[in-house]
Amino acid sequence: MAISVRDAEKVKYREFMERIEAGEKIEADDWMPDEYRQTLIKLISMHGISEIMGALPEKEWTPKAPTLYRKLAIMAKVQDEVGHGQLLLRVAEDLIKPYGKTREDLIQDLFSGKLKFHNVFHWKTKSWADAGLIGWLVDGAAIITQTNMLDASYAPYARALKRIAAEEVFHAQHGEAIAVALAKGTEQQKQMMQDALNRWWPALMMFFGPPTAETTGSSKQEITIKYKIRKNTNEDLRQFYLTKYVPRIQGIGLTIPDETLRYDEEKKEWIYRQPDWNEFLKIIRNEGPMSQERLRIRKLSYENNAWVREALGLNTAVNV
Amino acid sequence: MGEKVPFYEEFVVFSRKTPVSPCQEQFTLLAPNHEIALVMAQENFMRREKVCDIWVVKRSDIRAMTPEERKTLERVDNKDYRTTKGYGYLVRIWREIDQGMLDEKEILSWSKGRVK
Amino acid sequence: MNREYKEAVVELLYQLADDDLLVSYRGSEWLGLVPHIEEDVAYSSITQNTMGHAAIYYGILEELGEGKVDDLAQLRPANERKNAIILEEKNGQGHWLYEEPRYDWAFTVVRNYFYEAIKKKKIDSLKQSTYEPLVQTAIKIDTEARYHLMHWQTWFEQLIRAGGEAEERMKAAIEKVWKDIGGVLSLGPNEEKIVSAGIIESEAVLKERFLADMKEKFAELGLEFPGEPGMERGDGRAGVHTEDLEEAIATLSEVYALDPAVPW
Ligand SMILES: [Fe+2]
Ligand SMILES: [Fe+2]
């Protein structure tokens, strides 16, 4: 009996793989291999919570944005990021539902350190130029990652990413506009922008994660590619990013703080200085420059207003 | 005593065209329950249309807006800051250095990923 | 437009603009920290709309020769500001940003609800203003004001009806806000000029309309009516303000003040 059950599972698995290889999409209530579900849960809950935590570095500059127009634009932009968190957490919540888990569990996992947020959102911001840099180059990197999953085999994720990608067009141009204004502005403004780039370049090189599993001991990239969730490896995405953004960065007169950076025509790839992957390891243990501060403020606001959720959660029938 | 359950409940029918498209309202129908509503839905509203999913929702479960509330939906036309509208001038700057605009077409084309 | 009329118009415009600016500034501080993610998104649109309204009023002031919109919004010192004191108050204990902020949702709901309720009365009155640009603005922003009021009224009612701790917190917030809500109703030391020029109806008339609505709402929710709205800490329209405003201005103008003459 045990053997036939296992065979049945094998058949199901094969059929599942055939479906996704044929470009079919999977819905939340379709049968799926456990590895697929676990991979999705890990990926999408981390993606969702990173949007929420990623609101914080830019939020630091939202009320300080230089003009009313910029204040409004960055507010709309950060609002979108929180909205992306909302979309993605909903997708993740549907996936953890069979385990009796909810958003509350995801948030608690964030606080306990079990659920990590993206490495790029652990860094410090120092000036308005950092807000411009995030909107321009961090969002740029995020757009590369996210568009790479637009055709994901998991339909609810693909639907969320489609909405997100549409908004990212605004984010990309919003970020560029701030960066261009500074890079083409006064000496003081130019310097602000260059300093921000110097500060953030290592973080940008870390953004896509290490090229192989050697650095962190494990890497999900092969599994996500196998299941047609994403298309490219970490390194491919970094190469793609450099191709798209290096000419733009240099084109507006900024200097990339890596004198070894060059495009190797023969190998058809970018040569660049590896960031300090030890720093990366610290960050993914929540020991980055701002990890604890950002977790603290998120936790504080969550707990401080827990009474709001309790009040309305207990009284779902308060509609008149 | 027990309230009479009406045979004709109202259901709203929704359908999804492709796995990545949003669900769309089709129309309403009368049915005694969800199961019956579902087995009648496709032939009532999507006889000539290919869809990949259908939903039926009890109309009484839908909280629609009142006419008073609908008056709050209009927005002032001053939200360019939320769009790419104000950033058209970037075209010039990028053209100077042989770069294109990161518009919708360009960004969505990135979904192909890195092709070596 | 004679000088006296213009002065009255300018006076009221500053009140309207500064009120909306400070409310939206406090709203922008909440972004990312609201007790519920979906509400975080929804609230931010209200904040943006409100800052948009401030920008419209500052825009009219710019046309009247008062200076650039951003200079008006960001560079005027606290003692020249005309906003009501309750609107400049911090969202709660602690400081921006990583110094243990404990923003108070009950205070935020109550302040916004009362503010929007009064704002709606003013907008309705401005539709009859003798100053045409204000009539046009009132017509334009009416629908958003209506929406904001609906939003905060829903939160207000639900948290009170929830009973228990929520109701207690809401009652405390009502008591606190009521002590200074008179500042939002106030038309300031120059009320006489503003009203006699027919730019907006009198404070007494606006107050009566606001209180009539509130009495009804409080009765409906079984709340004790708190009586005459207070202005305990003084009249912001007369330039009386608190440290909270200085801090707010310093923060919101931090970048712009580096060099107000250049594009950002
Ligand atoms: Fe995002
Ligand atoms: Fe973004």
Side-chain angles (χ1 to χ4, degrees):
Chain A
M1 281 306 280
I3 290 167
S4 70
V5 169
R6 231 177 57 199
D7 282 349
E9 284 285 306
K10 266 192 192 158
V11 171
K12 269 196 203 164
Y13 185 83
R14 209 186 53 226
E15 282 170 0
F16 176 86
M17 291 307 287
E18 278 165 11
R19 277 185 71 189
I20 61 172
E21 262 147 38
E24 273 186 51
K25 302 271 184 219
I26 306 303
E27 288 291 343
D29 52 0
D30 281 336
W31 183 87
M32 59 183 87
D34 200 48
E35 187 185 45
Y36 184 74
R37 181 182 295 273
Q38 295 309 328
T39 303
L40 287 173
I41 290 174
K42 202 160 174 211
L43 173 75
I44 303 169
S45 58
M46 187 184 157
H47 188 178
I49 212 71
S50 298
E51 299 276 359
I52 301 288
M53 293 302 287
L56 295 177
E58 276 179 292
K59 175 209 161 62
E60 292 162 16
W61 293 92
T62 298
K64 298 181 180 179
T67 62
L68 288 186
Y69 191 89
R70 292 274 191 247
K71 285 181 203 293
L72 286 164
I74 195 169
M75 243 194 284
K77 196 272 184 184
V78 177
Q79 175 190 38
D80 283 351
E81 302 301 3
V82 179
H84 297 170
Q86 191 276 340
L87 294 167
L88 295 162
L89 288 181
R90 283 298 309 121
V91 176
E93 285 151 22
D94 283 347
L95 282 163
I96 57 176
K97 204 153 51 180
Y99 304 105
K101 289 188 173 177
T102 65
R103 181 178 301 179
E104 178 65 27
D105 296 286
L106 293 177
I107 305 270
Q108 292 308 330
D109 285 351
L110 169 74
F111 297 152
S112 73
K114 210 179 124 199
L115 174 58
K116 302 288 196 271
F117 61 103
H118 194 281
N119 60 73
V120 85
F121 299 125
H122 295 245
W123 297 84
K124 261 200 180 79
T125 66
K126 286 212 174 107
S127 81
W128 166 245
D130 294 49
L133 185 134
I134 293 173
W136 183 28
L137 297 178
V138 173
D139 272 63
I143 295 170
I144 300 263
T145 312
Q146 296 180 121
T147 51
N148 204 253
M149 301 188 288
L150 261 180
D151 299 326
S153 57
Y154 188 57
Y157 194 37
R159 288 195 290 267
L161 289 170
K162 202 173 148 192
R163 294 184 73 106
I164 291 170
E167 292 179 346
E168 291 297 346
V169 180
F170 155 57
H171 296 190
Q173 296 188 20
H174 154 85
E176 282 184 346
I178 298 173
V180 165
L182 295 176
K184 296 198 175 284
T186 63
E187 268 317 306
Q188 183 189 26
Q189 289 174 319
K190 241 182 263 177
Q191 198 54 53
M192 274 172 88
M193 198 59 225
Q194 182 62 53
D195 287 347
L197 181 63
N198 296 349
R199 253 194 307 281
W200 282 81
W201 187 253
L204 293 169
M205 287 301 93
M206 278 180 206
F207 184 97
F208 300 97
T212 63
E214 274 162 50
T215 316
T216 48
S218 79
S219 168
K220 287 267 179 283
Q221 48 180 330
E222 290 83 11
I223 303 176
T224 45
I225 292 170
K226 172 177 88 179
Y227 283 124
K228 298 241 177 285
I229 298 165
R230 70 189 238 188
K231 291 176 177 161
N232 288 144
T233 62
N234 292 352
E235 190 54 33
D236 275 338
L237 294 178
R238 187 163 26 240
Q239 291 286 331
F240 189 56
Y241 178 67
L242 291 168
T243 300
K244 291 289 173 191
Y245 279 90
V246 168
R248 300 173 97 82
I249 299 170
Q250 293 172 337
I252 59 169
L254 295 169
T255 308
I256 293 172
D258 176 359
E259 58 297 341
T260 68
L261 180 76
R262 67 183 174 86
Y263 188 70
D264 188 322
E265 289 289 349
E266 237 163 66
K267 287 194 200 149
K268 296 250 171 288
E269 67 177 32
W270 290 90
I271 311 296
Y272 60 94
R273 186 189 295 127
Q274 289 295 316
D276 179 0
W277 291 109
N278 282 322
E279 185 70 30
F280 179 86
L281 289 176
K282 275 208 282 190
I283 286 175
I284 61 174
R285 289 196 306 264
N286 282 339
E287 290 166 17
M290 287 297 279
S291 316
Q292 289 305 317
E293 286 84 347
R294 296 207 174 112
L295 281 169
R296 171 70 187 152
I297 191 178
R298 188 71 218 160
K299 191 164 186 234
L300 194 62
S301 71
Y302 191 74
E303 286 171 356
N304 203 36
N305 290 297
W307 65 271
V308 178
R309 294 182 299 274
E310 271 154 35
L312 299 184
L314 290 175
N315 294 278
T316 38
V318 277
N319 343 335
V320 194
Chain B
M1 298 309 290
E3 249 173 72
K4 225 171 145 191
V5 181
F7 178 79
Y8 296 119
E9 278 279 359
E10 296 172 333
F11 287 87
V12 185
V13 176
F14 297 84
S15 69
R16 199 193 287 288
K17 222 181 193 74
T18 73
V20 288
S21 50
C23 242
Q24 189 195 0
E25 185 202 349
Q26 287 288 357
F27 217 77
T28 58
L29 56 73
L30 294 182
N33 57 53
H34 287 93
E35 310 314 313
I36 303 278
L38 194 58
V39 296
M40 304 188 302
Q42 184 177 13
E43 297 319 315
N44 271 272
F45 309 124
M46 290 150 282
R47 290 189 293 277
R48 294 178 182 81
E49 193 182 328
K50 195 169 157 6
V51 297
C52 75
D53 199 4
I54 297 172
W55 298 354
V56 293
V57 180
K58 223 184 215 180
R59 197 184 213 175
S60 57
D61 281 340
I62 295 178
R63 160 67 160 88
M65 293 187 113
T66 64
E68 242 343 272
E69 287 167 340
R70 267 178 243 138
K71 286 185 197 155
T72 68
L73 290 170
E74 199 66 37
R75 291 287 173 271
V76 182
D77 180 18
N78 64 348
K79 315 262 186 288
D80 281 1
Y81 64 82
R82 199 179 247 164
T83 70
T84 53
K85 258 190 202 157
Y87 304 131
Y89 64 91
L90 289 171
V91 175
R92 253 186 309 112
I93 287 157
W94 297 128
R95 198 180 290 143
E96 273 170 34
I97 56 160
D98 276 338
Q99 292 290 310
M101 195 67 170
L102 300 187
D103 54 16
E104 190 163 341
K105 191 167 160 248
E106 168 68 13
I107 281 180
L108 291 185
S109 80
W110 294 0
S111 70
K112 293 199 252 350
R114 184 186 188 217
V115 197
K116 272 174 278 188
Chain C
M1 192 171 14
N2 70 39
R3 216 193 66 205
E4 213 164 288
Y5 184 79
K6 188 180 157 187
E7 273 171 16
V9 165
V10 164
E11 167 71 27
L12 183 66
L13 279 166
Y14 274 123
Q15 295 181 12
L16 298 168
D18 290 347
D19 275 2
D20 276 338
L21 181 73
L22 266 297
V23 170
S24 57
Y25 170 76
R26 291 302 174 200
S28 75
E29 287 186 310
W30 265 107
L31 181 55
L33 302 175
V34 173
H36 182 62
I37 294 166
E38 280 83 349
E39 172 63 11
D40 211 329
V41 177
Y43 180 12
S44 182
S45 282
I46 292 179
T47 300
Q48 291 164 44
N49 292 345
T50 305
M51 195 174 281
H53 300 172
I56 295 172
Y57 293 129
Y58 287 128
I60 303 176
L61 284 163
E62 179 174 312
E63 276 167 29
L64 289 170
E66 289 290 299
K68 276 196 319 186
V69 166
D70 275 300
D71 290 355
L72 298 177
Q74 307 201 61
L75 299 181
R76 288 158 53 236
N79 61 9
E80 287 176 24
R81 301 275 170 159
K82 307 277 182 180
N83 62 279
I85 285 182
I86 192 65
L87 307 181
E88 72 203 34
E89 183 155 347
K90 288 193 299 187
N91 291 318
Q93 298 296 307
H95 283 270
W96 173 266
L97 173 65
Y98 290 107
E99 295 170 48
E100 302 287 294
R102 285 165 204 275
Y103 293 169
D104 179 351
W105 188 248
F107 173 58
T108 296
V109 168
V110 171
R111 168 162 70 180
N112 279 300
Y113 176 47
F114 292 166
Y115 176 65
E116 296 291 353
I118 296 171
K119 177 169 166 174
K120 182 75 174 77
K121 297 296 175 208
K122 288 190 187 171
I123 286 171
D124 287 341
S125 179
L126 287 171
K127 288 181 197 159
Q128 267 73 253
S129 176
T130 53
Y131 188 59
E132 190 53 27
L134 273 175
V135 176
Q136 290 313 318
T137 304
I139 293 169
K140 192 154 80 172
I141 69 179
D142 184 54
T143 157
E144 287 183 352
R146 201 188 278 262
Y147 164 63
H148 299 173
L149 183 56
M150 175 177 90
H151 183 97
W152 294 117
Q153 181 173 294
T154 304
W155 273 102
F156 184 84
E157 291 173 354
Q158 296 240 347
L159 288 175
I160 291 193
R161 288 214 171 94
E165 185 187 356
E167 189 182 2
E168 287 316 307
R169 284 175 180 271
M170 290 295 285
K171 281 180 174 165
I174 292 169
E175 199 187 314
K176 172 174 161 176
V177 176
W178 203 260
K179 283 182 187 162
D180 279 301
I181 199 66
V184 180
L185 288 160
S186 167
L187 293 173
N190 298 312
E191 184 197 355
E192 171 59 34
K193 282 188 207 156
I194 297 169
V195 174
S196 64
I199 302 163
I200 195 168
E201 286 164 289
S202 75
E203 196 180 310
V205 168
L206 297 171
K207 185 162 87 177
E208 196 189 296
R209 289 180 193 150
F210 166 68
L211 289 184
D213 282 3
M214 287 302 116
K215 274 181 191 148
E216 201 181 310
K217 187 54 67 190
F218 276 57
E220 190 187 309
L221 294 169
L223 289 169
E224 201 182 311
F225 190 71
E228 190 64 11
M231 201 160 64
E232 283 190 7
R233 283 178 288 178
D235 191 354
R237 317 292 187 212
V240 181
H241 292 289
T242 63
E243 227 173 77
D244 286 5
L245 180 62
E246 304 206 2
E247 219 183 279
I249 296 172
T251 306
L252 75 89
S253 65
E254 185 184 310
V255 179
Y256 184 68
L258 292 175
D259 196 344
V262 299
W264 284 91

